[in-house]
Amino acid sequence: MDSEPEHAPWLPRRDVLVAALYVVVVVVLGSIGGLGIGAQGLLAQGPLWSNGASIALLVPAALATALRHRAPAVTLVVTGTLSCAEVLGGSTIGGYVLLFEALWSPVAYGSRRLARVTSGAGAAISIAMIAVTSTWPQPRPSIIVGLLLIVVVVGTPLAWGWEVRHLHLARATAERLASAEQELAAERAERAVETERRRLAQDLHDVLSGHLSAVTLHAGLAAQLPSADARERSLVTTRDSAQAALRDLRSVITMLTDESAVQPEVTLSWDALAARLDAGANTAVGGVGADRADGADGADGADGADGADGADGADGADGADGGSLVQVDPAVEDPSRVDPTLRAALLRIGAEAVANALVHGRAPRRLHVIADDDAARLICTNAFVPGHVRADDSPGLGLTTMRSRALAVGGSLSAGPDATDPRTWRVEVRVPIRDHSPLTTEVS
């Protein structure tokens, strides 16, 4: 059974003990005053009332100090008023002790407004002391005594109270800053975990999507090819793609478990992308050979005289109008022209664009990579049926990954129907190269 939460007492135990101590001090000082050891009131040469009256006056003032934390305004009014009365007309020094507490507590523990009011009350008490002591028979010594009383009884508690208040404020500010720093650190840790998850998802998507797309295409193609040799070649390609996917998956796992590894070593190249597009020349969305039922001639035929290798060779790419076309500017492979990091980013973006073209698009599918003086451009196009693809304003993981990789190297990405041919889906990536790239820009 859960225990009920403990509530803090209305009066702190420490304040109760302090108030009890002040009561003892007041009684002891009153008793000493009865023996002839004490002080006279500031208003006359002798006390205006007896020691018993002084004790009776100061005991409630001492008890009011128990509220110095909970209600410091009460301490100021009750303790301050009664102790001032004792200082002016009493015979014990207990009034000075309690006046010290009455001025210190509201400044140290009260609100800022109460602290200012207490400082104003202290200034008024100081003026009153100077005015009262100046009426004594010997003005000069009396004024010196008044100044000493102001310094000890009024100035010291006010200065000390403001110092304690500033220390409390500094500690509270430091605690708030520490709490904010902890929250910020926790938020950074969450962002780091989220970033790592996204990177892992991107890496897995990059290294597996292309290979698995090739496996799906060739497996479906093998079931439709009438020639045993063509089926064998398609199945071999399926096996090779599956093995490549397994190798790349192991590379990603090694990168995650080996701290010295920075990037996974994937089996990815422009030639591999060309082979994927060439193999997909015989397929379409929703089935294999949907647009080429006969497949007897040209690049799309499995056994045609001129296109015997249409399933997985490069010859079919340039054969018929429905084939795939891959063009890569040699400058893209030149490290002096295109930074290797930019080339790797283009290659990964190209792999994702090709995978999307194979899965969602129809032949003809084309991939162009061009480098000029300022930027490198990757253009991937494929035919599609309007309404059968995801709109650009609702991107999936592939399009989101491509856009994030382009932005990471200072580039841009656009995807959507071609402005000149609404039945062609066009993905275009532009990244700055060399001196125009943020990866190679040096701070002067």
Side-chain angles (χ1 to χ4, degrees), residues 406-434:
L407 293 176
V409 292
S412 60
L413 179 142
S414 62
D418 196 319
T420 60
D421 184 5
R423 298 180 65 86
T424 297
W425 186 266
R426 179 185 179 94
V427 175
E428 182 172 353
V429 179
R430 185 183 186 279
V431 296
I433 60 176
R434 281 300 167 190

PDB file of all heavy atoms in Angstrom, residues 406-434:
ATOM      1  N   ALA A 406      21.013  15.373 -51.266  1.00  0.00           N
ATOM      2  CA  ALA A 406      21.354  16.514 -52.111  1.00  0.00           C
ATOM      3  C   ALA A 406      21.583  17.766 -51.272  1.00  0.00           C
ATOM      4  O   ALA A 406      22.552  18.512 -51.495  1.00  0.00           O
ATOM      5  CB  ALA A 406      20.243  16.753 -53.132  1.00  0.00           C
ATOM      6  N   LEU A 407      20.722  18.004 -50.294  1.00  0.00           N
ATOM      7  CA  LEU A 407      20.899  19.175 -49.436  1.00  0.00           C
ATOM      8  C   LEU A 407      22.174  19.074 -48.614  1.00  0.00           C
ATOM      9  O   LEU A 407      22.799  20.098 -48.307  1.00  0.00           O
ATOM     10  CB  LEU A 407      19.687  19.323 -48.515  1.00  0.00           C
ATOM     11  CG  LEU A 407      18.356  19.668 -49.192  1.00  0.00           C
ATOM     12  CD1 LEU A 407      17.228  19.672 -48.161  1.00  0.00           C
ATOM     13  CD2 LEU A 407      18.442  21.020 -49.882  1.00  0.00           C
ATOM     14  N   ALA A 408      22.580  17.861 -48.239  1.00  0.00           N
ATOM     15  CA  ALA A 408      23.773  17.681 -47.410  1.00  0.00           C
ATOM     16  C   ALA A 408      25.033  18.137 -48.126  1.00  0.00           C
ATOM     17  O   ALA A 408      26.011  18.521 -47.476  1.00  0.00           O
ATOM     18  CB  ALA A 408      23.906  16.219 -46.979  1.00  0.00           C
ATOM     19  N   VAL A 409      25.052  18.107 -49.450  1.00  0.00           N
ATOM     20  CA  VAL A 409      26.232  18.542 -50.209  1.00  0.00           C
ATOM     21  C   VAL A 409      25.965  19.876 -50.902  1.00  0.00           C
ATOM     22  O   VAL A 409      26.653  20.226 -51.860  1.00  0.00           O
ATOM     23  CB  VAL A 409      26.640  17.468 -51.241  1.00  0.00           C
ATOM     24  CG1 VAL A 409      27.154  16.232 -50.546  1.00  0.00           C
ATOM     25  CG2 VAL A 409      25.474  17.115 -52.162  1.00  0.00           C
ATOM     26  N   GLY A 410      24.959  20.602 -50.421  1.00  0.00           N
ATOM     27  CA  GLY A 410      24.690  21.933 -50.947  1.00  0.00           C
ATOM     28  C   GLY A 410      23.928  21.951 -52.246  1.00  0.00           C
ATOM     29  O   GLY A 410      23.925  22.972 -52.939  1.00  0.00           O
ATOM     30  N   GLY A 411      23.282  20.838 -52.592  1.00  0.00           N
ATOM     31  CA  GLY A 411      22.566  20.764 -53.853  1.00  0.00           C
ATOM     32  C   GLY A 411      21.066  20.901 -53.689  1.00  0.00           C
ATOM     33  O   GLY A 411      20.560  21.274 -52.635  1.00  0.00           O
ATOM     34  N   SER A 412      20.355  20.575 -54.760  1.00  0.00           N
ATOM     35  CA  SER A 412      18.900  20.665 -54.760  1.00  0.00           C
ATOM     36  C   SER A 412      18.336  19.508 -55.581  1.00  0.00           C
ATOM     37  O   SER A 412      19.036  18.918 -56.409  1.00  0.00           O
ATOM     38  CB  SER A 412      18.431  22.001 -55.342  1.00  0.00           C
ATOM     39  OG  SER A 412      18.885  22.145 -56.682  1.00  0.00           O
ATOM     40  N   LEU A 413      17.081  19.192 -55.341  1.00  0.00           N
ATOM     41  CA  LEU A 413      16.420  18.094 -56.040  1.00  0.00           C
ATOM     42  C   LEU A 413      15.014  18.521 -56.410  1.00  0.00           C
ATOM     43  O   LEU A 413      14.316  19.157 -55.621  1.00  0.00           O
ATOM     44  CB  LEU A 413      16.375  16.832 -55.174  1.00  0.00           C
ATOM     45  CG  LEU A 413      15.679  15.604 -55.775  1.00  0.00           C
ATOM     46  CD1 LEU A 413      16.423  14.333 -55.405  1.00  0.00           C
ATOM     47  CD2 LEU A 413      14.225  15.511 -55.278  1.00  0.00           C
ATOM     48  N   SER A 414      14.617  18.137 -57.617  1.00  0.00           N
ATOM     49  CA  SER A 414      13.240  18.345 -58.059  1.00  0.00           C
ATOM     50  C   SER A 414      12.739  17.041 -58.655  1.00  0.00           C
ATOM     51  O   SER A 414      13.485  16.315 -59.315  1.00  0.00           O
ATOM     52  CB  SER A 414      13.160  19.473 -59.099  1.00  0.00           C
ATOM     53  OG  SER A 414      13.917  19.150 -60.257  1.00  0.00           O
ATOM     54  N   ALA A 415      11.484  16.730 -58.406  1.00  0.00           N
ATOM     55  CA  ALA A 415      10.893  15.492 -58.909  1.00  0.00           C
ATOM     56  C   ALA A 415       9.443  15.752 -59.268  1.00  0.00           C
ATOM     57  O   ALA A 415       8.713  16.395 -58.518  1.00  0.00           O
ATOM     58  CB  ALA A 415      10.997  14.382 -57.866  1.00  0.00           C
ATOM     59  N   GLY A 416       9.037  15.249 -60.429  1.00  0.00           N
ATOM     60  CA  GLY A 416       7.667  15.430 -60.862  1.00  0.00           C
ATOM     61  C   GLY A 416       7.534  15.211 -62.354  1.00  0.00           C
ATOM     62  O   GLY A 416       8.519  14.911 -63.049  1.00  0.00           O
ATOM     63  N   PRO A 417       6.342  15.338 -62.883  1.00  0.00           N
ATOM     64  CA  PRO A 417       6.150  15.190 -64.327  1.00  0.00           C
ATOM     65  C   PRO A 417       6.968  16.211 -65.102  1.00  0.00           C
ATOM     66  O   PRO A 417       7.102  17.375 -64.696  1.00  0.00           O
ATOM     67  CB  PRO A 417       4.643  15.418 -64.498  1.00  0.00           C
ATOM     68  CG  PRO A 417       4.049  15.111 -63.165  1.00  0.00           C
ATOM     69  CD  PRO A 417       5.076  15.529 -62.164  1.00  0.00           C
ATOM     70  N   ASP A 418       7.529  15.775 -66.219  1.00  0.00           N
ATOM     71  CA  ASP A 418       8.323  16.657 -67.064  1.00  0.00           C
ATOM     72  C   ASP A 418       7.433  17.751 -67.632  1.00  0.00           C
ATOM     73  O   ASP A 418       6.295  17.507 -68.059  1.00  0.00           O
ATOM     74  CB  ASP A 418       8.975  15.851 -68.189  1.00  0.00           C
ATOM     75  CG  ASP A 418      10.105  16.630 -68.842  1.00  0.00           C
ATOM     76  OD1 ASP A 418       9.951  17.851 -69.055  1.00  0.00           O
ATOM     77  OD2 ASP A 418      11.148  16.011 -69.150  1.00  0.00           O
ATOM     78  N   ALA A 419       7.964  18.973 -67.633  1.00  0.00           N
ATOM     79  CA  ALA A 419       7.179  20.109 -68.129  1.00  0.00           C
ATOM     80  C   ALA A 419       6.875  19.966 -69.613  1.00  0.00           C
ATOM     81  O   ALA A 419       5.833  20.436 -70.091  1.00  0.00           O
ATOM     82  CB  ALA A 419       7.916  21.417 -67.867  1.00  0.00           C
ATOM     83  N   THR A 420       7.775  19.327 -70.374  1.00  0.00           N
ATOM     84  CA  THR A 420       7.566  19.182 -71.816  1.00  0.00           C
ATOM     85  C   THR A 420       6.793  17.925 -72.178  1.00  0.00           C
ATOM     86  O   THR A 420       6.270  17.818 -73.287  1.00  0.00           O
ATOM     87  CB  THR A 420       8.927  19.180 -72.533  1.00  0.00           C
ATOM     88  OG1 THR A 420       9.707  18.071 -72.047  1.00  0.00           O
ATOM     89  CG2 THR A 420       9.675  20.482 -72.261  1.00  0.00           C
ATOM     90  N   ASP A 421       6.754  16.944 -71.267  1.00  0.00           N
ATOM     91  CA  ASP A 421       6.054  15.684 -71.534  1.00  0.00           C
ATOM     92  C   ASP A 421       5.401  15.207 -70.248  1.00  0.00           C
ATOM     93  O   ASP A 421       6.060  14.594 -69.401  1.00  0.00           O
ATOM     94  CB  ASP A 421       7.035  14.632 -72.066  1.00  0.00           C
ATOM     95  CG  ASP A 421       6.322  13.342 -72.453  1.00  0.00           C
ATOM     96  OD1 ASP A 421       5.076  13.309 -72.398  1.00  0.00           O
ATOM     97  OD2 ASP A 421       7.007  12.368 -72.815  1.00  0.00           O
ATOM     98  N   PRO A 422       4.119  15.474 -70.052  1.00  0.00           N
ATOM     99  CA  PRO A 422       3.463  15.108 -68.788  1.00  0.00           C
ATOM    100  C   PRO A 422       3.455  13.611 -68.495  1.00  0.00           C
ATOM    101  O   PRO A 422       3.210  13.221 -67.362  1.00  0.00           O
ATOM    102  CB  PRO A 422       2.033  15.631 -68.982  1.00  0.00           C
ATOM    103  CG  PRO A 422       2.129  16.664 -70.044  1.00  0.00           C
ATOM    104  CD  PRO A 422       3.217  16.194 -70.964  1.00  0.00           C
ATOM    105  N   ARG A 423       3.747  12.757 -69.501  1.00  0.00           N
ATOM    106  CA  ARG A 423       3.757  11.317 -69.271  1.00  0.00           C
ATOM    107  C   ARG A 423       5.149  10.801 -68.924  1.00  0.00           C
ATOM    108  O   ARG A 423       5.372   9.588 -68.865  1.00  0.00           O
ATOM    109  CB  ARG A 423       3.232  10.578 -70.508  1.00  0.00           C
ATOM    110  CG  ARG A 423       1.790  10.933 -70.847  1.00  0.00           C
ATOM    111  CD  ARG A 423       1.319  10.164 -72.074  1.00  0.00           C
ATOM    112  NE  ARG A 423       1.280   8.730 -71.807  1.00  0.00           N
ATOM    113  CZ  ARG A 423       0.253   8.097 -71.253  1.00  0.00           C
ATOM    114  NH1 ARG A 423      -0.837   8.792 -70.897  1.00  0.00           N
ATOM    115  NH2 ARG A 423       0.273   6.800 -71.046  1.00  0.00           N
ATOM    116  N   THR A 424       6.071  11.721 -68.696  1.00  0.00           N
ATOM    117  CA  THR A 424       7.442  11.362 -68.304  1.00  0.00           C
ATOM    118  C   THR A 424       7.714  11.904 -66.900  1.00  0.00           C
ATOM    119  O   THR A 424       7.499  13.088 -66.632  1.00  0.00           O
ATOM    120  CB  THR A 424       8.470  11.939 -69.282  1.00  0.00           C
ATOM    121  OG1 THR A 424       8.254  11.362 -70.572  1.00  0.00           O
ATOM    122  CG2 THR A 424       9.893  11.626 -68.814  1.00  0.00           C
ATOM    123  N   TRP A 425       8.141  11.025 -66.027  1.00  0.00           N
ATOM    124  CA  TRP A 425       8.524  11.430 -64.661  1.00  0.00           C
ATOM    125  C   TRP A 425      10.000  11.791 -64.662  1.00  0.00           C
ATOM    126  O   TRP A 425      10.834  11.035 -65.150  1.00  0.00           O
ATOM    127  CB  TRP A 425       8.256  10.286 -63.684  1.00  0.00           C
ATOM    128  CG  TRP A 425       8.491  10.669 -62.248  1.00  0.00           C
ATOM    129  CD1 TRP A 425       9.623  10.489 -61.535  1.00  0.00           C
ATOM    130  CD2 TRP A 425       7.563  11.304 -61.375  1.00  0.00           C
ATOM    131  NE1 TRP A 425       9.478  10.969 -60.264  1.00  0.00           N
ATOM    132  CE2 TRP A 425       8.207  11.479 -60.137  1.00  0.00           C
ATOM    133  CE3 TRP A 425       6.248  11.735 -61.519  1.00  0.00           C
ATOM    134  CZ2 TRP A 425       7.582  12.062 -59.048  1.00  0.00           C
ATOM    135  CZ3 TRP A 425       5.635  12.324 -60.434  1.00  0.00           C
ATOM    136  CH2 TRP A 425       6.290  12.488 -59.209  1.00  0.00           C
ATOM    137  N   ARG A 426      10.342  12.940 -64.109  1.00  0.00           N
ATOM    138  CA  ARG A 426      11.702  13.462 -64.188  1.00  0.00           C
ATOM    139  C   ARG A 426      12.211  13.773 -62.784  1.00  0.00           C
ATOM    140  O   ARG A 426      11.562  14.476 -62.021  1.00  0.00           O
ATOM    141  CB  ARG A 426      11.736  14.731 -65.043  1.00  0.00           C
ATOM    142  CG  ARG A 426      13.119  15.388 -65.173  1.00  0.00           C
ATOM    143  CD  ARG A 426      12.991  16.697 -65.929  1.00  0.00           C
ATOM    144  NE  ARG A 426      14.258  17.389 -66.084  1.00  0.00           N
ATOM    145  CZ  ARG A 426      15.051  17.274 -67.148  1.00  0.00           C
ATOM    146  NH1 ARG A 426      14.677  16.494 -68.152  1.00  0.00           N
ATOM    147  NH2 ARG A 426      16.191  17.930 -67.217  1.00  0.00           N
ATOM    148  N   VAL A 427      13.361  13.209 -62.465  1.00  0.00           N
ATOM    149  CA  VAL A 427      14.072  13.512 -61.223  1.00  0.00           C
ATOM    150  C   VAL A 427      15.380  14.178 -61.600  1.00  0.00           C
ATOM    151  O   VAL A 427      16.182  13.595 -62.345  1.00  0.00           O
ATOM    152  CB  VAL A 427      14.335  12.244 -60.387  1.00  0.00           C
ATOM    153  CG1 VAL A 427      15.175  12.594 -59.164  1.00  0.00           C
ATOM    154  CG2 VAL A 427      13.028  11.596 -59.968  1.00  0.00           C
ATOM    155  N   GLU A 428      15.599  15.392 -61.127  1.00  0.00           N
ATOM    156  CA  GLU A 428      16.813  16.129 -61.455  1.00  0.00           C
ATOM    157  C   GLU A 428      17.479  16.615 -60.170  1.00  0.00           C
ATOM    158  O   GLU A 428      16.836  17.202 -59.304  1.00  0.00           O
ATOM    159  CB  GLU A 428      16.513  17.320 -62.359  1.00  0.00           C
ATOM    160  CG  GLU A 428      17.767  18.092 -62.763  1.00  0.00           C
ATOM    161  CD  GLU A 428      17.509  19.145 -63.815  1.00  0.00           C
ATOM    162  OE1 GLU A 428      16.361  19.192 -64.336  1.00  0.00           O
ATOM    163  OE2 GLU A 428      18.422  19.923 -64.135  1.00  0.00           O
ATOM    164  N   VAL A 429      18.778  16.333 -60.086  1.00  0.00           N
ATOM    165  CA  VAL A 429      19.582  16.730 -58.930  1.00  0.00           C
ATOM    166  C   VAL A 429      20.715  17.607 -59.423  1.00  0.00           C
ATOM    167  O   VAL A 429      21.377  17.275 -60.433  1.00  0.00           O
ATOM    168  CB  VAL A 429      20.148  15.501 -58.190  1.00  0.00           C
ATOM    169  CG1 VAL A 429      21.009  15.949 -57.010  1.00  0.00           C
ATOM    170  CG2 VAL A 429      19.018  14.598 -57.716  1.00  0.00           C
ATOM    171  N   ARG A 430      20.935  18.692 -58.747  1.00  0.00           N
ATOM    172  CA  ARG A 430      22.034  19.591 -59.090  1.00  0.00           C
ATOM    173  C   ARG A 430      22.866  19.844 -57.845  1.00  0.00           C
ATOM    174  O   ARG A 430      22.345  20.268 -56.813  1.00  0.00           O
ATOM    175  CB  ARG A 430      21.511  20.918 -59.639  1.00  0.00           C
ATOM    176  CG  ARG A 430      22.610  21.869 -60.123  1.00  0.00           C
ATOM    177  CD  ARG A 430      22.020  23.204 -60.588  1.00  0.00           C
ATOM    178  NE  ARG A 430      23.021  24.057 -61.171  1.00  0.00           N
ATOM    179  CZ  ARG A 430      23.875  24.818 -60.462  1.00  0.00           C
ATOM    180  NH1 ARG A 430      23.808  24.801 -59.137  1.00  0.00           N
ATOM    181  NH2 ARG A 430      24.763  25.571 -61.070  1.00  0.00           N
ATOM    182  N   VAL A 431      24.173  19.560 -57.941  1.00  0.00           N
ATOM    183  CA  VAL A 431      25.079  19.783 -56.810  1.00  0.00           C
ATOM    184  C   VAL A 431      26.266  20.600 -57.299  1.00  0.00           C
ATOM    185  O   VAL A 431      26.779  20.375 -58.400  1.00  0.00           O
ATOM    186  CB  VAL A 431      25.559  18.451 -56.196  1.00  0.00           C
ATOM    187  CG1 VAL A 431      24.395  17.684 -55.595  1.00  0.00           C
ATOM    188  CG2 VAL A 431      26.265  17.587 -57.222  1.00  0.00           C
ATOM    189  N   PRO A 432      26.713  21.595 -56.534  1.00  0.00           N
ATOM    190  CA  PRO A 432      27.894  22.376 -56.929  1.00  0.00           C
ATOM    191  C   PRO A 432      29.151  21.538 -56.801  1.00  0.00           C
ATOM    192  O   PRO A 432      29.242  20.634 -55.973  1.00  0.00           O
ATOM    193  CB  PRO A 432      27.891  23.543 -55.931  1.00  0.00           C
ATOM    194  CG  PRO A 432      27.163  23.008 -54.748  1.00  0.00           C
ATOM    195  CD  PRO A 432      26.137  22.046 -55.269  1.00  0.00           C
ATOM    196  N   ILE A 433      30.129  21.820 -57.629  1.00  0.00           N
ATOM    197  CA  ILE A 433      31.370  21.045 -57.620  1.00  0.00           C
ATOM    198  C   ILE A 433      32.552  21.948 -57.303  1.00  0.00           C
ATOM    199  O   ILE A 433      32.563  23.138 -57.586  1.00  0.00           O
ATOM    200  CB  ILE A 433      31.596  20.331 -58.970  1.00  0.00           C
ATOM    201  CG1 ILE A 433      31.686  21.338 -60.122  1.00  0.00           C
ATOM    202  CG2 ILE A 433      30.493  19.327 -59.245  1.00  0.00           C
ATOM    203  CD1 ILE A 433      31.996  20.699 -61.461  1.00  0.00           C
ATOM    204  N   ARG A 434      33.561  21.307 -56.675  1.00  0.00           N
ATOM    205  CA  ARG A 434      34.831  21.940 -56.326  1.00  0.00           C
ATOM    206  C   ARG A 434      34.643  23.273 -55.622  1.00  0.00           C
ATOM    207  O   ARG A 434      34.025  23.356 -54.596  1.00  0.00           O
ATOM    208  CB  ARG A 434      35.723  22.077 -57.578  1.00  0.00           C
ATOM    209  CG  ARG A 434      36.416  20.781 -57.926  1.00  0.00           C
ATOM    210  CD  ARG A 434      37.283  20.352 -56.761  1.00  0.00           C
ATOM    211  NE  ARG A 434      37.738  18.994 -56.895  1.00  0.00           N
ATOM    212  CZ  ARG A 434      38.359  18.319 -55.926  1.00  0.00           C
ATOM    213  NH1 ARG A 434      38.579  18.889 -54.770  1.00  0.00           N
ATOM    214  NH2 ARG A 434      38.763  17.092 -56.118  1.00  0.00           N
TER     215      ARG A 434
END
